[in-house]
Amino acid sequence: MKKLLNVLYVTTPESYLSKDGMNVVVSVNQVEKFRIPIANIEGIVTFGYVGASPGLMKLCADNGVALSFLSPNGRFIGRFQGPVHGNVLLRKTQYQIADDKQRALHYAQLFVAGKIQNYRTILQRFIRDNGSNGKVESAIKSMEVSKSWALNAKEVPSLIGVEGDAANTYFGVFHNLMLQRKEEFPFDGRNKRPPKDAVNAMLSFVYTLLANETAAALETVGLDPYVGFMHALRPGRTSLALDLMEEMRAYLGDRLVLSLINRKQIVPNDFVTQGESGVVMTDDCRKTVLTAWQNRKKETIVHPYLEEKIPVGLLPYVQALLLARAIRGDIDDYPVFLIH
């Protein structure tokens, strides 16, 4: 099993990344602020327009460490990756599946049905822990129907429509899951590009983190993160990562955001409105979310398919590994991650 390593998040806009021997060095205004051995990290994610030396990029490439650049608001800009060492036969099979409408549809159905089922499980847990709620119970019933439609969809466009309807239903009752400060964090459904409220700003941010880590996991197991089965192919778009993360959004993303709100770890003043950028997190808020994200990754769960304890942070890697095994034909089908 892969070892869970740290991801280095660089949030100070004036930072510059360089190398010193086998160490990554973070400097601000030519003053060293932090260093870490390259062997201790599996990725670097920067926010803002951070500089990086060619020597640092080579150090990352030589050690299989992905270097990702995000805007201050968490929007993906680009990703530097060293030489690909994936299995060419595995990728060839992946491309064949992507070109086969029925085989691609099958995987897409699994991703979407898993996502919808995890939506339902989160809502069912809310009812179990907090008692009856008519709107939430109605959403649970609606999504059971949506899951059935997803598994019986005849083509990817109709499947995407089912997924969109289920997401609207889920986010239509999402505010009920906020047990604290509901009035201070109004939420009227999912919106993005730009996010119009604090909750959507956090959701977009953690989804970006998840997409980045899922893309890195796919690279690690030898799959091409840019060629997916459901999300359209576009230059620079990690379509397969977006496909695979669907089943993990609620578990890794939504629950983290709800926890931050319900535990009062964030306050309304942690967010500001910036014109076309919509509502964005302050630097301190971003650090709070990143700390919670890193701590969450250290928690352990028993994986429902492997029946082994794993750190939560390895979930994208495990699912990528299982997907690779399914594509190779080592296992009968892809086992979607379902919350238990």
Side-chain angles (χ1 to χ4, degrees), residues 20 73 80 101 123 128 145 186 266 270 305 325-326 328:
D20 180 13
N73 303 333
F80 173 77
K101 289 184 178 181
L123 297 183
R128 182 194 66 194
V145 175
I266 56 167
D270 285 328
Y305 179 79
R325 289 178 179 175
R328 279 197 301 262

Side-chain angles (χ1 to χ4, degrees), residues 112 115-117 119-120 123 139 142-143 146-147 159-175 187-192 200 203 207 246 249-250 254:
V112 171
K115 176 182 184 178
I116 295 172
Q117 178 58 40
Y119 278 165
R120 291 185 70 250
L123 297 183
S142 174
M143 282 187 284
S146 294
K147 185 177 73 171
L159 175 64
I160 292 174
V162 171
E163 183 275 330
D165 289 341
N168 287 337
T169 299
Y170 168 74
F171 283 116
V173 298
F174 191 75
H175 68 283
F187 182 82
D188 190 27
R190 182 80 176 106
N191 57 68
K192 48 191 174 180
N200 274 293
L203 287 172
Y207 290 162
E246 292 288 10
R249 282 178 184 261
D254 302 354

Side-chain angles (χ1 to χ4, degrees), residues 123-310:
L123 297 183
Q124 287 170 328
R125 284 187 176 182
F126 170 80
I127 294 296
R128 182 194 66 194
D129 295 340
N130 298 280
S132 179
N133 182 303
K135 291 183 179 179
V136 174
E137 290 168 349
S138 177
I140 292 171
K141 293 178 181 178
S142 174
M143 282 187 284
E144 177 63 23
V145 175
S146 294
K147 185 177 73 171
S148 177
W149 285 351
L151 291 171
N152 289 282
K154 301 302 182 184
E155 55 185 12
V156 169
S158 61
L159 175 64
I160 292 174
V162 171
E163 183 275 330
D165 289 341
N168 287 337
T169 299
Y170 168 74
F171 283 116
V173 298
F174 191 75
H175 68 283
N176 290 276
L177 309 186
M178 300 177 204
L179 305 178
Q180 302 288 339
R181 293 182 165 175
K182 191 176 299 186
E183 296 77 17
E184 295 178 275
F185 290 97
F187 182 82
D188 190 27
R190 182 80 176 106
N191 57 68
K192 48 191 174 180
R193 301 189 189 95
K196 299 177 182 177
D197 56 65
V199 179
N200 274 293
M202 284 192 291
L203 287 172
S204 293
F205 184 73
V206 295
Y207 290 162
T208 299
L209 297 178
L210 178 57
N212 186 66
E213 297 201 7
T214 304
L218 290 166
E219 290 269 15
T220 300
V221 303
L223 289 167
D224 186 341
Y226 293 93
V227 179
F229 307 138
M230 181 174 71
H231 286 85
L233 304 185
R234 295 178 187 168
R237 186 186 203 185
T238 53
S239 297
L240 187 60
L242 297 178
D243 288 354
L244 184 61
M245 68 178 275
E246 292 288 10
E247 69 206 58
M248 296 180 276
R249 282 178 184 261
Y251 184 68
L252 294 179
D254 302 354
R255 287 180 57 173
L256 182 71
V257 171
L258 288 170
S259 176
L260 288 166
I261 295 173
N262 290 333
R263 294 178 180 177
K264 301 182 180 180
Q265 293 176 264
I266 56 167
V267 296
N269 288 342
D270 285 328
F271 303 86
V272 295
T273 301
Q274 290 187 346
E276 294 182 357
S277 297
V279 175
V280 301
M281 295 181 287
T282 63
D283 289 344
D284 286 343
C285 180
R286 190 183 300 116
K287 292 174 183 176
T288 298
V289 176
L290 288 171
T291 298
W293 175 262
Q294 291 287 64
N295 289 337
R296 172 65 173 140
K297 287 164 56 178
K298 296 175 184 176
E299 298 174 10
T300 59
I301 59 169
V302 176
H303 192 277
Y305 179 79
L306 299 179
E307 297 182 346
E308 296 178 7
K309 278 189 175 182
I310 65 166

